[in-house]
Amino acid sequence: MSDCIYKNGLNFECQRCSFCCGHSPGFVYLSHRDLTALCTHFDMSEVDFARKYCRWADYYYGTQVLALLEKDNYDCILWGAGCTAYEARPVQCSTYPFWSWMLADNKTWNECAADCPGMNKGRKWSFEEIDAQKRRYDANIPLDRRDFEKMFCEGKEFRL
C-alpha cells in the first residue's frame, strides 16, 4: 500500500467536457450487467440493442467482446447533448477515472489528467471510495461473443 497513488485520496470532479465520451478512438466494453441495464433503459431486447448500438471488439487472447459503437468523430454512439443513457451507463463509464491502469502510478495518472480537466481538481475522493470504484471496474468483465450467442441467439452466430 505504500506505493498506492491513492492511499491519501485523489481529486476528481467531472467538468462535463465529454472528453472521456469521445474525441479519440476507444472502446466501451459491455458486461452482461451493462447490457441488461441499457436494454432496460431503452426498452429493447439484447439482440436489437446490439444490432443498433454495438460492435464486436477484439479483446485479449483473440476473443471478441461486445462494445458500443462510435460515431465518425469517435464520440460514443450514446452521446448527444449529454449521455442518453446516463442513469444506465456502463460500469466503465461510471467508474472513470478510477480504472486500474490509470491508478498504476503517478506518471500514468498525470498523463491521463493532461486530457481530463476534472482530474486533480474538485472534490477529494477517499481511498475507500476510489478502491470501491476500482474494484467495480475490475469486476466488470466484458461479454464475450460466444457467451452472447449462447444467451441470446440460441447458440447461433450473431453478426453485427
Side-chain angles (χ1 to χ4, degrees):
M1 167 103 134
S2 62
D3 60 347
C4 176
I5 71 160
Y6 60 95
K7 68 182 175 209
N8 296 317
L10 292 170
N11 293 84
F12 172 72
E13 190 167 328
C14 181
Q15 303 297 301
R16 307 283 187 250
C17 73
S18 79
F19 189 83
C20 58
C21 302
H23 307 287
S24 60
F27 297 101
V28 175
Y29 300 115
L30 300 180
S31 66
H32 186 224
R33 175 246 168 249
D34 294 330
L35 181 62
T36 299
L38 289 165
C39 288
T40 299
H41 178 78
F42 287 107
D43 193 24
M44 297 175 78
S45 74
E46 289 82 357
V47 168
D48 289 342
F49 182 88
R51 281 204 173 101
K52 184 170 182 175
Y53 295 112
C54 297
R55 62 181 162 158
W56 297 119
D58 291 330
Y59 200 60
Y60 298 106
Y61 311 110
T63 60
Q64 289 190 317
V65 297
L66 200 62
L68 289 175
L69 287 169
E70 293 174 329
K71 298 175 186 174
D72 289 340
N73 65 354
Y74 302 118
D75 284 356
C76 174
I77 193 69
L78 301 178
W79 182 257
C83 180
T84 61
Y86 188 82
E87 299 80 18
R89 69 193 184 280
V91 168
Q92 182 176 334
C93 303
S94 66
T95 59
Y96 180 87
F98 302 120
W99 300 347
S100 300
W101 68 269
M102 285 187 178
L103 297 167
D105 53 55
N106 282 313
K107 181 179 183 280
T108 303
W109 176 263
N110 289 320
E111 285 172 354
C112 293
D115 291 328
C116 175
M119 292 171 72
N120 295 329
K121 293 182 184 78
R123 92 164 174 98
K124 186 167 215 160
W125 290 63
S126 70
F127 170 85
E128 293 78 14
E129 290 174 308
I130 295 168
D131 205 53
Q133 294 297 314
K134 179 183 172 290
R135 281 186 277 113
R136 281 185 63 227
Y137 173 81
D138 290 343
N140 198 54
I141 307 301
L143 186 57
D144 181 276
R145 181 178 187 155
R146 290 179 305 258
D147 291 337
F148 180 92
E149 290 169 345
K150 284 179 202 167
M151 286 188 267
F152 306 113
C153 305
E154 298 174 0
K156 297 180 181 128
E157 184 177 350
F158 180 74
R159 295 187 187 270
L160 293 176

PDB file of all heavy atoms in Angstrom, residues 131-152:
ATOM      1  N   ASP A 131     -11.063   2.941  -4.129  1.00  0.00           N
ATOM      2  CA  ASP A 131     -10.874   1.486  -4.158  1.00  0.00           C
ATOM      3  C   ASP A 131     -12.175   0.772  -4.536  1.00  0.00           C
ATOM      4  O   ASP A 131     -12.157  -0.200  -5.286  1.00  0.00           O
ATOM      5  CB  ASP A 131     -10.353   1.000  -2.801  1.00  0.00           C
ATOM      6  CG  ASP A 131      -9.581  -0.288  -2.934  1.00  0.00           C
ATOM      7  OD1 ASP A 131      -8.642  -0.339  -3.754  1.00  0.00           O
ATOM      8  OD2 ASP A 131      -9.929  -1.247  -2.216  1.00  0.00           O
ATOM      9  N   ALA A 132     -13.300   1.264  -4.062  1.00  0.00           N
ATOM     10  CA  ALA A 132     -14.597   0.665  -4.415  1.00  0.00           C
ATOM     11  C   ALA A 132     -14.862   0.825  -5.915  1.00  0.00           C
ATOM     12  O   ALA A 132     -15.330  -0.117  -6.574  1.00  0.00           O
ATOM     13  CB  ALA A 132     -15.715   1.308  -3.603  1.00  0.00           C
ATOM     14  N   GLN A 133     -14.557   1.990  -6.464  1.00  0.00           N
ATOM     15  CA  GLN A 133     -14.740   2.209  -7.910  1.00  0.00           C
ATOM     16  C   GLN A 133     -13.792   1.308  -8.706  1.00  0.00           C
ATOM     17  O   GLN A 133     -14.191   0.693  -9.712  1.00  0.00           O
ATOM     18  CB  GLN A 133     -14.500   3.675  -8.271  1.00  0.00           C
ATOM     19  CG  GLN A 133     -15.512   4.634  -7.702  1.00  0.00           C
ATOM     20  CD  GLN A 133     -16.906   4.380  -8.243  1.00  0.00           C
ATOM     21  OE1 GLN A 133     -17.105   4.200  -9.438  1.00  0.00           O
ATOM     22  NE2 GLN A 133     -17.881   4.363  -7.365  1.00  0.00           N
ATOM     23  N   LYS A 134     -12.564   1.230  -8.275  1.00  0.00           N
ATOM     24  CA  LYS A 134     -11.569   0.377  -8.947  1.00  0.00           C
ATOM     25  C   LYS A 134     -12.006  -1.083  -8.928  1.00  0.00           C
ATOM     26  O   LYS A 134     -11.919  -1.790  -9.935  1.00  0.00           O
ATOM     27  CB  LYS A 134     -10.207   0.535  -8.270  1.00  0.00           C
ATOM     28  CG  LYS A 134      -9.106  -0.307  -8.859  1.00  0.00           C
ATOM     29  CD  LYS A 134      -7.821  -0.106  -8.049  1.00  0.00           C
ATOM     30  CE  LYS A 134      -6.735  -1.055  -8.459  1.00  0.00           C
ATOM     31  NZ  LYS A 134      -6.991  -2.435  -8.083  1.00  0.00           N
ATOM     32  N   ARG A 135     -12.513  -1.550  -7.802  1.00  0.00           N
ATOM     33  CA  ARG A 135     -12.982  -2.939  -7.705  1.00  0.00           C
ATOM     34  C   ARG A 135     -14.186  -3.183  -8.608  1.00  0.00           C
ATOM     35  O   ARG A 135     -14.288  -4.231  -9.240  1.00  0.00           O
ATOM     36  CB  ARG A 135     -13.286  -3.311  -6.250  1.00  0.00           C
ATOM     37  CG  ARG A 135     -12.005  -3.624  -5.461  1.00  0.00           C
ATOM     38  CD  ARG A 135     -12.261  -4.138  -4.051  1.00  0.00           C
ATOM     39  NE  ARG A 135     -12.482  -3.009  -3.157  1.00  0.00           N
ATOM     40  CZ  ARG A 135     -13.632  -2.724  -2.546  1.00  0.00           C
ATOM     41  NH1 ARG A 135     -14.665  -3.509  -2.688  1.00  0.00           N
ATOM     42  NH2 ARG A 135     -13.739  -1.677  -1.770  1.00  0.00           N
ATOM     43  N   ARG A 136     -15.102  -2.211  -8.700  1.00  0.00           N
ATOM     44  CA  ARG A 136     -16.244  -2.341  -9.630  1.00  0.00           C
ATOM     45  C   ARG A 136     -15.745  -2.449 -11.066  1.00  0.00           C
ATOM     46  O   ARG A 136     -16.241  -3.257 -11.842  1.00  0.00           O
ATOM     47  CB  ARG A 136     -17.174  -1.123  -9.516  1.00  0.00           C
ATOM     48  CG  ARG A 136     -18.110  -1.154  -8.341  1.00  0.00           C
ATOM     49  CD  ARG A 136     -19.095   0.014  -8.349  1.00  0.00           C
ATOM     50  NE  ARG A 136     -19.955  -0.029  -9.512  1.00  0.00           N
ATOM     51  CZ  ARG A 136     -20.228   1.019 -10.301  1.00  0.00           C
ATOM     52  NH1 ARG A 136     -19.714   2.197 -10.051  1.00  0.00           N
ATOM     53  NH2 ARG A 136     -21.044   0.899 -11.324  1.00  0.00           N
ATOM     54  N   TYR A 137     -14.792  -1.605 -11.413  1.00  0.00           N
ATOM     55  CA  TYR A 137     -14.222  -1.622 -12.768  1.00  0.00           C
ATOM     56  C   TYR A 137     -13.561  -2.975 -13.059  1.00  0.00           C
ATOM     57  O   TYR A 137     -13.805  -3.589 -14.098  1.00  0.00           O
ATOM     58  CB  TYR A 137     -13.208  -0.473 -12.919  1.00  0.00           C
ATOM     59  CG  TYR A 137     -12.452  -0.500 -14.215  1.00  0.00           C
ATOM     60  CD1 TYR A 137     -13.020  -0.006 -15.387  1.00  0.00           C
ATOM     61  CD2 TYR A 137     -11.153  -1.015 -14.280  1.00  0.00           C
ATOM     62  CE1 TYR A 137     -12.326  -0.033 -16.583  1.00  0.00           C
ATOM     63  CE2 TYR A 137     -10.454  -1.045 -15.471  1.00  0.00           C
ATOM     64  CZ  TYR A 137     -11.048  -0.553 -16.626  1.00  0.00           C
ATOM     65  OH  TYR A 137     -10.341  -0.589 -17.816  1.00  0.00           O
ATOM     66  N   ASP A 138     -12.742  -3.448 -12.133  1.00  0.00           N
ATOM     67  CA  ASP A 138     -12.020  -4.712 -12.320  1.00  0.00           C
ATOM     68  C   ASP A 138     -12.955  -5.910 -12.425  1.00  0.00           C
ATOM     69  O   ASP A 138     -12.666  -6.871 -13.131  1.00  0.00           O
ATOM     70  CB  ASP A 138     -11.028  -4.946 -11.171  1.00  0.00           C
ATOM     71  CG  ASP A 138      -9.845  -3.997 -11.215  1.00  0.00           C
ATOM     72  OD1 ASP A 138      -9.589  -3.374 -12.270  1.00  0.00           O
ATOM     73  OD2 ASP A 138      -9.165  -3.874 -10.173  1.00  0.00           O
ATOM     74  N   ALA A 139     -14.070  -5.866 -11.713  1.00  0.00           N
ATOM     75  CA  ALA A 139     -15.006  -6.995 -11.688  1.00  0.00           C
ATOM     76  C   ALA A 139     -15.951  -7.008 -12.888  1.00  0.00           C
ATOM     77  O   ALA A 139     -16.657  -7.991 -13.113  1.00  0.00           O
ATOM     78  CB  ALA A 139     -15.819  -6.972 -10.402  1.00  0.00           C
ATOM     79  N   ASN A 140     -15.966  -5.951 -13.653  1.00  0.00           N
ATOM     80  CA  ASN A 140     -16.909  -5.805 -14.765  1.00  0.00           C
ATOM     81  C   ASN A 140     -16.322  -6.436 -16.031  1.00  0.00           C
ATOM     82  O   ASN A 140     -15.665  -5.769 -16.814  1.00  0.00           O
ATOM     83  CB  ASN A 140     -17.236  -4.324 -14.984  1.00  0.00           C
ATOM     84  CG  ASN A 140     -18.483  -4.136 -15.778  1.00  0.00           C
ATOM     85  OD1 ASN A 140     -19.523  -4.672 -15.409  1.00  0.00           O
ATOM     86  ND2 ASN A 140     -18.405  -3.375 -16.840  1.00  0.00           N
ATOM     87  N   ILE A 141     -16.562  -7.715 -16.221  1.00  0.00           N
ATOM     88  CA  ILE A 141     -15.964  -8.476 -17.313  1.00  0.00           C
ATOM     89  C   ILE A 141     -16.787  -8.302 -18.588  1.00  0.00           C
ATOM     90  O   ILE A 141     -18.001  -8.532 -18.588  1.00  0.00           O
ATOM     91  CB  ILE A 141     -15.897  -9.990 -16.950  1.00  0.00           C
ATOM     92  CG1 ILE A 141     -15.210 -10.177 -15.604  1.00  0.00           C
ATOM     93  CG2 ILE A 141     -15.235 -10.789 -18.050  1.00  0.00           C
ATOM     94  CD1 ILE A 141     -13.808  -9.664 -15.505  1.00  0.00           C
ATOM     95  N   PRO A 142     -16.140  -7.914 -19.699  1.00  0.00           N
ATOM     96  CA  PRO A 142     -16.878  -7.742 -20.954  1.00  0.00           C
ATOM     97  C   PRO A 142     -17.549  -9.041 -21.406  1.00  0.00           C
ATOM     98  O   PRO A 142     -17.045 -10.137 -21.169  1.00  0.00           O
ATOM     99  CB  PRO A 142     -15.804  -7.322 -21.957  1.00  0.00           C
ATOM    100  CG  PRO A 142     -14.692  -6.786 -21.133  1.00  0.00           C
ATOM    101  CD  PRO A 142     -14.731  -7.559 -19.845  1.00  0.00           C
ATOM    102  N   LEU A 143     -18.680  -8.877 -22.067  1.00  0.00           N
ATOM    103  CA  LEU A 143     -19.465 -10.006 -22.555  1.00  0.00           C
ATOM    104  C   LEU A 143     -18.832 -10.569 -23.822  1.00  0.00           C
ATOM    105  O   LEU A 143     -18.770  -9.905 -24.854  1.00  0.00           O
ATOM    106  CB  LEU A 143     -20.913  -9.566 -22.821  1.00  0.00           C
ATOM    107  CG  LEU A 143     -21.915 -10.628 -23.195  1.00  0.00           C
ATOM    108  CD1 LEU A 143     -21.999 -11.724 -22.131  1.00  0.00           C
ATOM    109  CD2 LEU A 143     -23.282  -9.996 -23.395  1.00  0.00           C
ATOM    110  N   ASP A 144     -18.356 -11.778 -23.718  1.00  0.00           N
ATOM    111  CA  ASP A 144     -17.703 -12.478 -24.819  1.00  0.00           C
ATOM    112  C   ASP A 144     -18.734 -12.829 -25.893  1.00  0.00           C
ATOM    113  O   ASP A 144     -19.885 -13.142 -25.596  1.00  0.00           O
ATOM    114  CB  ASP A 144     -17.054 -13.751 -24.244  1.00  0.00           C
ATOM    115  CG  ASP A 144     -16.316 -14.555 -25.277  1.00  0.00           C
ATOM    116  OD1 ASP A 144     -16.971 -15.363 -25.971  1.00  0.00           O
ATOM    117  OD2 ASP A 144     -15.104 -14.382 -25.384  1.00  0.00           O
ATOM    118  N   ARG A 145     -18.290 -12.793 -27.137  1.00  0.00           N
ATOM    119  CA  ARG A 145     -19.179 -13.086 -28.260  1.00  0.00           C
ATOM    120  C   ARG A 145     -19.846 -14.461 -28.127  1.00  0.00           C
ATOM    121  O   ARG A 145     -21.048 -14.607 -28.346  1.00  0.00           O
ATOM    122  CB  ARG A 145     -18.402 -13.004 -29.576  1.00  0.00           C
ATOM    123  CG  ARG A 145     -19.248 -13.264 -30.786  1.00  0.00           C
ATOM    124  CD  ARG A 145     -18.458 -13.118 -32.072  1.00  0.00           C
ATOM    125  NE  ARG A 145     -19.351 -13.219 -33.201  1.00  0.00           N
ATOM    126  CZ  ARG A 145     -19.107 -12.691 -34.382  1.00  0.00           C
ATOM    127  NH1 ARG A 145     -18.000 -11.999 -34.573  1.00  0.00           N
ATOM    128  NH2 ARG A 145     -19.968 -12.835 -35.356  1.00  0.00           N
ATOM    129  N   ARG A 146     -19.071 -15.465 -27.754  1.00  0.00           N
ATOM    130  CA  ARG A 146     -19.638 -16.818 -27.617  1.00  0.00           C
ATOM    131  C   ARG A 146     -20.714 -16.851 -26.536  1.00  0.00           C
ATOM    132  O   ARG A 146     -21.760 -17.482 -26.707  1.00  0.00           O
ATOM    133  CB  ARG A 146     -18.529 -17.823 -27.321  1.00  0.00           C
ATOM    134  CG  ARG A 146     -17.596 -18.065 -28.494  1.00  0.00           C
ATOM    135  CD  ARG A 146     -16.510 -19.061 -28.120  1.00  0.00           C
ATOM    136  NE  ARG A 146     -15.786 -18.651 -26.933  1.00  0.00           N
ATOM    137  CZ  ARG A 146     -14.588 -18.092 -26.918  1.00  0.00           C
ATOM    138  NH1 ARG A 146     -13.947 -17.900 -28.037  1.00  0.00           N
ATOM    139  NH2 ARG A 146     -14.013 -17.753 -25.797  1.00  0.00           N
ATOM    140  N   ASP A 147     -20.475 -16.165 -25.423  1.00  0.00           N
ATOM    141  CA  ASP A 147     -21.475 -16.126 -24.353  1.00  0.00           C
ATOM    142  C   ASP A 147     -22.730 -15.384 -24.800  1.00  0.00           C
ATOM    143  O   ASP A 147     -23.841 -15.799 -24.489  1.00  0.00           O
ATOM    144  CB  ASP A 147     -20.897 -15.480 -23.096  1.00  0.00           C
ATOM    145  CG  ASP A 147     -19.827 -16.345 -22.443  1.00  0.00           C
ATOM    146  OD1 ASP A 147     -19.827 -17.570 -22.672  1.00  0.00           O
ATOM    147  OD2 ASP A 147     -18.994 -15.777 -21.718  1.00  0.00           O
ATOM    148  N   PHE A 148     -22.556 -14.279 -25.524  1.00  0.00           N
ATOM    149  CA  PHE A 148     -23.701 -13.541 -26.046  1.00  0.00           C
ATOM    150  C   PHE A 148     -24.549 -14.450 -26.939  1.00  0.00           C
ATOM    151  O   PHE A 148     -25.776 -14.498 -26.814  1.00  0.00           O
ATOM    152  CB  PHE A 148     -23.239 -12.316 -26.843  1.00  0.00           C
ATOM    153  CG  PHE A 148     -24.363 -11.501 -27.415  1.00  0.00           C
ATOM    154  CD1 PHE A 148     -24.898 -10.438 -26.708  1.00  0.00           C
ATOM    155  CD2 PHE A 148     -24.896 -11.799 -28.667  1.00  0.00           C
ATOM    156  CE1 PHE A 148     -25.945  -9.689 -27.230  1.00  0.00           C
ATOM    157  CE2 PHE A 148     -25.941 -11.056 -29.201  1.00  0.00           C
ATOM    158  CZ  PHE A 148     -26.460  -9.995 -28.479  1.00  0.00           C
ATOM    159  N   GLU A 149     -23.892 -15.168 -27.837  1.00  0.00           N
ATOM    160  CA  GLU A 149     -24.612 -16.052 -28.760  1.00  0.00           C
ATOM    161  C   GLU A 149     -25.330 -17.172 -28.021  1.00  0.00           C
ATOM    162  O   GLU A 149     -26.468 -17.507 -28.349  1.00  0.00           O
ATOM    163  CB  GLU A 149     -23.648 -16.597 -29.813  1.00  0.00           C
ATOM    164  CG  GLU A 149     -23.195 -15.507 -30.778  1.00  0.00           C
ATOM    165  CD  GLU A 149     -22.044 -15.906 -31.695  1.00  0.00           C
ATOM    166  OE1 GLU A 149     -21.370 -16.936 -31.439  1.00  0.00           O
ATOM    167  OE2 GLU A 149     -21.803 -15.164 -32.674  1.00  0.00           O
ATOM    168  N   LYS A 150     -24.698 -17.720 -26.989  1.00  0.00           N
ATOM    169  CA  LYS A 150     -25.348 -18.772 -26.196  1.00  0.00           C
ATOM    170  C   LYS A 150     -26.569 -18.239 -25.460  1.00  0.00           C
ATOM    171  O   LYS A 150     -27.611 -18.874 -25.415  1.00  0.00           O
ATOM    172  CB  LYS A 150     -24.368 -19.360 -25.173  1.00  0.00           C
ATOM    173  CG  LYS A 150     -23.354 -20.301 -25.743  1.00  0.00           C
ATOM    174  CD  LYS A 150     -22.439 -20.782 -24.630  1.00  0.00           C
ATOM    175  CE  LYS A 150     -21.133 -21.277 -25.189  1.00  0.00           C
ATOM    176  NZ  LYS A 150     -20.120 -21.472 -24.149  1.00  0.00           N
ATOM    177  N   MET A 151     -26.442 -17.051 -24.864  1.00  0.00           N
ATOM    178  CA  MET A 151     -27.508 -16.489 -24.037  1.00  0.00           C
ATOM    179  C   MET A 151     -28.678 -15.946 -24.845  1.00  0.00           C
ATOM    180  O   MET A 151     -29.824 -16.079 -24.438  1.00  0.00           O
ATOM    181  CB  MET A 151     -26.956 -15.375 -23.148  1.00  0.00           C
ATOM    182  CG  MET A 151     -26.122 -15.870 -22.001  1.00  0.00           C
ATOM    183  SD  MET A 151     -25.706 -14.523 -20.870  1.00  0.00           S
ATOM    184  CE  MET A 151     -24.143 -14.023 -21.519  1.00  0.00           C
ATOM    185  N   PHE A 152     -28.373 -15.310 -25.963  1.00  0.00           N
ATOM    186  CA  PHE A 152     -29.411 -14.546 -26.646  1.00  0.00           C
ATOM    187  C   PHE A 152     -29.726 -15.011 -28.069  1.00  0.00           C
ATOM    188  O   PHE A 152     -30.677 -14.518 -28.664  1.00  0.00           O
ATOM    189  CB  PHE A 152     -29.029 -13.057 -26.673  1.00  0.00           C
ATOM    190  CG  PHE A 152     -28.720 -12.504 -25.328  1.00  0.00           C
ATOM    191  CD1 PHE A 152     -27.443 -12.090 -25.001  1.00  0.00           C
ATOM    192  CD2 PHE A 152     -29.701 -12.429 -24.344  1.00  0.00           C
ATOM    193  CE1 PHE A 152     -27.139 -11.587 -23.745  1.00  0.00           C
ATOM    194  CE2 PHE A 152     -29.426 -11.921 -23.085  1.00  0.00           C
ATOM    195  CZ  PHE A 152     -28.135 -11.509 -22.785  1.00  0.00           C
TER     196      PHE A 152
END
